[in-house]
Amino acid sequence: MSGRKEGAKVVVVRKKVARHGGHHGGSWKVAYADFVTAMMAFFMVMWIMGMDQGVKDMVQGYFTNPVGFKKSFSAGTNVLGAGNFVTNLDVKRTVILNRRDQERSFQEAAEEIRALVEANPDLAGVAAQVEIVVTEEGLRIELMEDADGAAFFDVSSAALKPALRGLLRIVGGVLDKTVGDVVVEGHTDARPYGGPGYSNWELSVERANAARRDLEAGGLKAARVTEVRGYADRQLKEAGDPFDAHNRRISVLLPFAEEEGAITAPPAPAGALAPRGGGG
């Protein structure tokens, strides 16, 4: 063989190629994100603790009742960015505390009405037709007709039957112990009762006005009633069945009272109707 003696040792040179370590995954990113989140929460808590009591109350008010808080203040207002301007904070703090007081008052009134209705043997058959709830608007008391449609009203009549009059007088006596405006609403089902010049609109207003008189007979001061509304069949309780007797009802509303100057949202449009008339 040319170039190499027979029996010579062959030398093979192997070079090691450096390789990078294996893929470490993204677990460190999750841990880092948790750390950053925890630090942000910590500094926010420390920042809020350094604020005055007005800001603390506003933050607490938001987390206690987000819906009511949003209703109380104009959209886009940054609570924490409001600064420590004493006058604004005092007014807003007053609104929050005032709403809490009203909610407590509403709950107490609701419990008293339920207790008085249940204790009255003459109203034993209609106790289940009384619904009392605290909504975004305020305290709403619904007095609904029974399934047979004969406990509270005669068909196409604004004359209140004794059971409904008894309920309204209890409600009037309890509401007289509260403060604020009172709104009385009348509702009908979708049956088109009445003739020319007389419709469900007129009937719903007449029923609401008759209910107002019994509320006042029960003790509610006349000056407390600010609106008497008739909705005909436009706000059905049982929307799936427009002819359901539960749609024939009287509603008594105590709206939340807000501090003047603290509310920037426009007031709800008035729904009071002046003419007299009928409905289902």
Side-chain angles (χ1 to χ4, degrees):
M1 289 190 166
S2 61
R4 180 165 64 88
K5 294 182 179 180
E6 187 176 351
K9 187 177 180 179
V10 178
V11 179
V12 178
V13 179
R14 291 187 175 90
K15 293 184 179 180
K16 292 184 178 181
V17 179
R19 297 182 180 179
H20 297 290
H23 183 64
H24 296 289
S27 58
W28 68 273
K29 299 177 183 178
V30 176
Y32 180 71
D34 290 343
F35 171 76
V36 172
T37 303
M39 291 301 295
M40 181 181 67
F42 171 77
F43 283 115
M44 286 189 67
V45 170
M46 296 300 293
W47 178 40
I48 293 173
M49 288 179 65
M51 293 290 184
D52 61 25
Q53 190 60 40
V55 173
K56 294 177 183 177
D57 286 340
M58 291 165 66
V59 174
Q60 180 182 352
Y62 173 80
F63 286 103
T64 301
N65 184 3
V67 175
F69 189 90
K70 185 175 181 181
K71 186 179 178 68
S72 299
F73 300 101
S74 60
T77 300
N78 183 349
V79 176
L80 296 179
N84 293 336
F85 190 62
V86 178
T87 302
N88 287 342
L89 291 178
D90 286 347
V91 170
K92 293 176 181 178
R93 182 183 179 191
T94 300
V95 171
I96 295 170
L97 297 177
N98 182 47
R99 181 171 284 266
R100 291 179 192 166
D101 289 340
Q102 289 179 76
E103 288 178 349
R104 278 195 296 269
S105 174
F106 290 165
Q107 294 292 354
E108 291 171 0
E111 292 172 5
E112 184 175 357
I113 291 171
R114 293 189 189 103
L116 290 173
V117 171
E118 291 174 359
N120 192 323
D122 295 333
L123 301 176
V126 296
Q129 296 163 230
V130 181
E131 181 180 281
I132 309 174
V133 292
V134 178
T135 68
E136 295 180 24
E137 299 173 281
L139 178 67
R140 179 170 288 277
I141 304 166
E142 300 265 39
L143 307 176
M144 301 172 289
E145 184 62 275
D146 65 4
D148 296 329
F152 289 168
F153 313 102
D154 284 327
V155 173
S156 195
S157 170
L160 310 186
K161 290 193 172 182
L164 180 55
R165 298 187 68 182
L167 288 172
L168 287 166
R169 293 185 182 218
I170 287 176
V171 172
V174 173
L175 295 189
D176 190 56
K177 304 173 187 177
T178 64
V179 296
D181 298 338
V182 176
V183 177
V184 186
E185 302 171 351
H187 304 267
T188 72
D189 59 27
R191 290 179 177 82
Y193 296 118
Y198 190 89
S199 67
N200 291 36
W201 287 108
E202 285 77 26
L203 180 57
S204 62
V205 176
E206 287 192 356
R207 287 177 173 172
N209 204 35
R212 173 192 61 79
R213 288 192 289 268
D214 273 296
L215 287 170
E216 294 174 4
L220 181 66
K221 295 179 178 60
R224 294 276 305 281
V225 180
T226 57
E227 291 184 75
V228 175
R229 302 171 178 172
Y231 284 106
D233 59 344
R234 301 307 173 88
Q235 292 190 7
L236 297 173
K237 184 72 174 177
E238 303 294 339
D241 184 0
F243 302 108
D244 191 295
H246 290 100
N247 293 316
R248 302 168 59 194
R249 68 197 192 279
I250 295 293
S251 298
V252 182
L253 172 66
L254 275 73
F256 280 112
E258 307 292 359
E259 291 292 327
E260 185 176 357
I263 308 303
T264 56
L273 300 176
R276 298 170 56 85

